[in-house]
Amino acid sequence: MRVAGEWHRTIGLSADGWSVSLIDQTVLPDRFQVILVTDVEQMAEAIRTMRVRGAPLIGVAAAFGMALAMRHDASDAGLERASRLLDATRPTAVNLRWALDQVGAALRPLAVADRPARAYQVAEQLADADVATCQQIGAHGALLLRSAWEAIDRARPVEIMTHCNAGWLATVDWGTAMAPVYHAHDAGVPLHVWVSETRPRNQGLLTAWELGQHGVPYTIITDNAAGHLMRRGRVDLCIVGTDRVAQNGNVANKVGTYLKALAASDTGVPFYVAAPSASIDWSAPTGDQIPIEERAGIELGHGKLPVANPAFDITPARLVTALLTERGVTEASATGLRRLFPERTE
Ligand code: MRU
């Protein structure tokens, strides 16, 4: 990601070769601050409190957390303890479990002495793979954006709406939903992005900040303005990310996504979901099996009043025009997913 013209990743090994540096998203967009994480407890805290957030980044952060844990205790018990601690941080993004499974499978067969080095290796591989995946999603999605521009005879910028932050900051680099935007922008397709605030955590401000860093024009809107803008014909297409896709193409994403999808369906606006394969839960038949995180009421700013704060919602596959994956664009359905991932038969 470009910050003040310089390229950064959101997470990586620091110069000492063992601690992990990450961008603290809780102080953005006011301050760009990189913090050092030196043990697994700190990494769990960083995920729980959303210093790092976004499904793909949570997965990679957990992998680095396992590497930090292995430095102190690489025994079987230490491995299981660290994995449980990290797994309990946030429930909805399946990337977390996916990454812990990858690290666990790589480490369990090894001798205890060999585990720390291998854990770092796997964490770095997952980080690199995430960058490659996002770039592929970007390349596929950019073709859609170019077609949208052709469809309006190149008469004006393509009007895109997004929700939450599924950009660079939610991944190691490039983003999922925003990767097509960055790719198309860099290829000369004029774009403008409507960014919804995304109450209560305002991840839309993160999206606005990073679009600004990349030079992509954007406008922030309240979450409730989305339907109005779609009805007025001010939106050509929506692109959002996801935290977990069920086998049948139902999509869990930041709360408010479902309402945008409903408005898009009512107004004939295409609704795309960028979904890296690590966000597909091959064990969840439908969205009903996806756990929805309930966060503290204090996030709504009402410490003493009764408050419900579900952080995600499920958008039924019938409202999703297509899924954008690293292998290409496909229908949001069991058939569509099987077509792109025939090796997944669970
Ligand atoms: O609660 P967060 O900020 O970790 O939410 C996750 C997300 O970033 C979004 O739901 C996003 O759209 C999917 S992750 C690329």
Side-chain angles (χ1 to χ4, degrees), residues 280-292:
I280 303 170
D281 184 348
W282 302 99
S283 70
T286 75
D288 292 345
Q289 287 78 44
I290 298 178
I292 300 293

Side-chain angles (χ1 to χ4, degrees), residues 48-120:
R48 201 179 304 113
T49 60
M50 296 170 68
R51 293 183 199 283
V52 281
R53 44 148 297 285
L57 180 56
I58 289 171
V60 174
F64 276 112
M66 288 299 293
L68 291 170
M70 292 303 94
R71 295 183 77 237
H72 292 287
D73 181 1
S75 66
D76 287 354
L79 197 159
E80 300 314 327
R81 199 168 35 244
S83 185
R84 269 198 311 274
L85 172 72
L86 291 161
D87 195 26
T89 51
R90 297 200 62 195
T92 302
V94 74
N95 308 58
L96 175 60
R97 184 69 259 164
W98 174 84
L100 291 172
D101 285 348
Q102 305 282 313
V103 178
L107 300 193
R108 278 186 201 100
L110 300 185
V112 168
D114 296 332
R115 287 176 176 173
R118 180 76 182 120
Y120 275 101

Side-chain angles (χ1 to χ4, degrees), residues 242 244-252 271 273 275 279-282 284-288 290 314-323 330-338:
T242 180
R244 195 184 295 224
V245 178
Q247 272 173 22
N248 69 347
N250 285 359
V251 167
F271 192 89
V273 176
S279 300
I280 303 170
D281 184 348
W282 302 99
T286 75
D288 292 345
I290 298 178
I314 305 292
T315 298
R318 68 186 156 76
L319 300 178
V320 177
T321 306
L323 299 172
T330 196
E331 183 186 277
S333 67
T335 314
L337 286 171
R338 259 200 312 273

Side-chain angles (χ1 to χ4, degrees), residues 50 53-56 90 164-166 170 176 203 242-243 253-254 312:
M50 296 170 68
R53 44 148 297 285
R90 297 200 62 195
C164 194
N165 171 263
T176 56
Q203 287 94 332
T242 180
D243 298 83
N253 195 46
K254 183 53 57 188
F312 298 90

Side-chain angles (χ1 to χ4, degrees), residues 138-188:
H140 295 301
L143 297 177
L144 285 177
L145 297 183
R146 182 169 284 281
S147 305
W149 189 40
E150 306 293 349
I152 53 173
D153 294 329
R154 302 181 172 211
R156 56 168 174 77
V158 180
E159 296 286 346
I160 298 159
M161 183 176 284
T162 193
H163 187 57
C164 194
N165 171 263
W168 296 324
L169 288 167
T171 63
V172 178
D173 203 351
W174 289 105
T176 56
M178 289 301 98
V181 168
Y182 296 129
H183 278 71
H185 171 84
D186 292 352

